[in-house]
Amino acid sequence: MGTDKDPLLMSILIGRKGEAVSGEEMAQTLGISRVALHKRMEHLKAWGIPIRSIPRKGYILEGVPDLLIPPVYLALLKSHHIGKPYHYLEKVDSTNRVAKELSHQGAPHGSLVVAEAQTRGRGRLGRSWFSPKGENIYFSLILKPEISIMEVPQLTFLVSVALTQVIREKLQLDALIKWPNDVYIKGRKVAGILMEMETREKRPLFLVVGVGLNVNTPNNGFPLEISTRATSLMVEGKRRYLRPQLLTWIMEALETWYERFQISQREDILRYWREYNFTLGKPVKLQGGREGWAIGVTPQGALLVRRLGGSIISLGAGDVEVVE
Ligand code: BTN
């Protein structure tokens, strides 16, 4: 028997919240023999999942481990087409690179690549992304929408809105968006998005949405050069967060927003982006030192900045510093 029944097994154990579940009951539910069940349990333990066997009582899950391994992630996942198939890697150069490769090989819409660590995590504008092992979430989602290139920025907005909404509503932390799509908490960056695409005849062949979310890096855990600008959910919430649970919430939120995007509720995305952003209405410094006021954002994702002399410029890409 393959590993396809492991998520079901895990969801039964998670559902019982630390109580023993009899081997007989589980074997019956899964339609497998007790011997096969025993093998599956050994396999799950080998992943590092704390399962205890108690003679004559059954199996107990002693806590959901903070691992992004497939049996745990898939047991928690409630989305239907975003976030699977699931490609889990312990260490990789960049999940975006793997996702692009998989897209070329025909990976379906919704496929997700996740790594516990990246050796060359990439950020926007040629920057790198801090990706230590086991602390945070690094994922690349493959999307194959039937849209024009003009509509792609709305998809990036969708991703920052979904991320911000999960952090605000599930964790009660005050996350906000900085143009174009960085997620901040109390003036420090907690998540970033690197969207890459390949096109054919002016239409996207596929998109790779790369997301880095700082989850459990401690305050003194960031490299010096970003230590005053970066934060993590743990630093802000003063507790550790369970990454597999967070990742499944993000996939579920992305699915909900993607459905709205498809049925043309695009103004909703922009409305939420505007509600969550902290760039509009503020003085901003542009790259190169120029200054102005951020006065609006176009549906194509450009930031409108009024210069001191009154002229308005439209920034299609890049970065700004918000002057608080
Ligand atoms: C940014 O500069 O704000 C974007 C950061 C994006 C980082 C993520 S981590 C997972 C994926 N793989 C990468 O190499 N980069 C993205």
Side-chain angles (χ1 to χ4, degrees), residues 2 12 21 36 76 78 82 90 92 112 139-140 183 203 261 272-273 276-277 285 287 298-299 303 318-319:
I12 297 172
V21 190
L76 296 169
K78 294 200 194 81
I82 295 288
E90 271 182 20
V92 72
L112 183 64
F139 75 76
S140 299
V183 184
R203 292 185 85 78
F261 175 81
Y272 269 80
W273 188 93
Y276 289 154
N277 100 92
K285 269 192 198 152
Q287 285 168 322
T298 68
L303 184 69
D319 216 349

Side-chain angles (χ1 to χ4, degrees), residues 94-96 118 121-124 129 138-140 182 189 192-194 210-212:
S94 157
T95 53
N96 265 33
Q118 294 184 118
R122 293 191 282 117
R124 287 176 57 240
W129 188 257
Y138 322 109
F139 75 76
S140 299
D182 293 341
K189 182 158 163 174
I193 302 167
L194 175 65
V211 172

Side-chain angles (χ1 to χ4, degrees), residues 63-238:
V64 180
D66 186 31
L67 297 168
L68 297 167
I69 53 178
V72 175
Y73 167 81
L74 293 170
L76 296 169
L77 189 68
K78 294 200 194 81
S79 64
H80 303 287
H81 56 269
I82 295 288
K84 54 190 168 188
Y86 186 64
H87 301 266
Y88 170 78
L89 303 154
E90 271 182 20
K91 195 175 179 177
V92 72
D93 51 353
S94 157
T95 53
N96 265 33
R97 205 256 316 139
V98 175
K100 276 193 250 172
E101 210 173 281
L102 288 171
S103 304
H104 280 296
Q105 291 163 10
H109 172 81
S111 301
L112 183 64
V113 181
V114 169
E116 290 283 0
Q118 294 184 118
T119 52
R120 287 172 69 94
R122 293 191 282 117
R124 287 176 57 240
L125 310 170
R127 298 173 186 145
S128 61
W129 188 257
F130 175 59
S131 313
K133 182 178 172 207
E135 288 179 6
N136 304 320
I137 293 178
Y138 322 109
F139 75 76
S140 299
L141 178 67
I142 297 171
L143 297 178
K144 297 190 164 172
E146 309 241 322
I147 57 172
S148 74
I149 292 176
M150 293 285 286
E151 295 167 288
V152 171
Q154 296 174 10
L155 268 180
T156 338
F157 279 179
L158 178 162
V159 179
S160 59
V161 163
L163 278 174
T164 305
Q165 190 174 44
V166 167
I167 300 172
R168 293 181 72 87
E169 293 181 2
K170 298 278 190 191
L171 314 183
Q172 313 293 321
L173 294 174
D174 197 10
L176 292 170
I177 303 170
K178 186 175 95 119
W179 181 85
N181 282 295
D182 293 341
V183 184
Y184 273 61
I185 303 178
K186 291 200 204 123
R188 291 181 182 210
K189 182 158 163 174
V190 71
I193 302 167
L194 175 65
M195 170 92 92
E196 298 184 281
M197 75 171 153
E198 272 195 37
T199 57
R200 182 173 296 162
E201 285 158 12
K202 299 208 176 103
R203 292 185 85 78
L205 197 56
F206 62 77
L207 299 165
V208 167
V209 184
V211 172
L213 171 63
N214 300 331
V215 183
N216 292 322
T217 291
N219 209 2
N220 59 6
F222 291 101
L224 207 57
E225 60 280 14
I226 58 166
S227 62
T228 55
R229 288 177 282 124
T231 192
S232 71
L233 298 175
M234 183 173 84
V235 169
E236 301 303 328
K238 299 183 176 57

